[in-house]
């Protein structure tokens, strides 16, 4: 229920590659809910949350992109100064080592969604729940 399917797409780091992927998704009526791009001099990893991850994966693989499904979770936080720091303090104090995170705002003007990846998502879900941090169901993120 709380695990969101994120697509990790491996891209060659050259001009126009990101546009090609995003254009392909647009041509196939796949709307992006969240995006994160990490790069090195030779390649990049594009992380996406889309409404229909299975369709997006199929479309991309048909065009020879290497795509991996990665589970992540979403936590709702106050969109105020210190909102993110308050959740990160819980994670730090509980000894959770995050692999990466990214956040975005949406129509709830005073809230943001923090997307998180760590080795043990079930442990992170339990910890955040114990601290009463609202977790965002996958379907809610897909349908934003």
């Amino acid at each position: 229920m709380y695990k969101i399917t994120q697509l990790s797409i491996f891209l060659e780091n050259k001009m126009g590659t990101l546009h090609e992927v995003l254009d392909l998704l647009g041509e196939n009526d796949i709307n992006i809910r969240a995006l994160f791009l990490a790069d090195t001099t030779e390649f990049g990893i594009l992380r996406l949350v889309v409404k229909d991850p299975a369709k997006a994966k199929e479309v991309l693989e048909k065009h020879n992109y290497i795509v991996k499904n990665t589970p992540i979770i979403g936590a709702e936080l106050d969109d105020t100064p210190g909102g993110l720091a308050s959740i990160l303090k819980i994670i730090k104090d509980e000894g959770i080592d995050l692999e990466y995170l990214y956040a975005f705002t949406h129509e709830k003007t005073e809230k943001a969604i923090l997307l998180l990846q760590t080795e043990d998502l079930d442990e992170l879900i339990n910890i955040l729940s114990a601290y009463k941090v609202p977790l965002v169901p996958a379907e809610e993120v897909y349908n934003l």
Side-chain angles (χ1 to χ4, degrees), residues 65-126:
Y65 289 99
I66 298 169
V67 183
K68 179 182 172 190
N69 286 346
T70 306
I72 59 174
I73 64 165
E76 189 174 76
L77 61 133
D78 292 331
D79 186 18
T80 58
L84 176 57
S86 66
I87 291 181
L88 292 179
K89 181 176 184 338
I90 293 167
I91 292 169
K92 175 189 69 86
D93 289 350
E94 292 294 332
I96 300 293
D97 186 19
L98 293 176
E99 291 182 23
Y100 56 85
L101 63 84
Y102 50 112
F104 63 97
T105 59
H106 56 102
E107 72 272 359
K108 291 182 184 176
T109 57
E110 291 138 16
K111 299 291 181 182
I113 295 177
L114 177 63
L115 299 175
L116 302 148
Q117 210 313 306
T118 190
E119 187 175 301
D120 189 344
L121 286 177
D122 292 325
E123 179 183 17
L124 183 56
I125 289 168
N126 290 336

Side-chain angles (χ1 to χ4, degrees), residues 12-53:
E12 186 178 355
N13 191 355
K14 68 177 190 177
M15 186 181 298
T17 305
L18 180 60
H19 170 260
E20 290 169 10
V21 169
L22 299 182
D23 193 47
L24 180 61
L25 293 174
E27 288 172 359
N28 286 275
D29 201 32
I30 298 167
N31 199 14
I32 298 167
R33 298 292 174 233
L35 176 150
F36 175 77
L37 179 64
D39 71 331
T40 66
T41 55
E42 296 182 23
F43 71 93
I45 300 174
L46 174 62
R47 294 184 170 103
L48 298 175
V49 175
V50 299
K51 183 171 184 164
D52 188 344

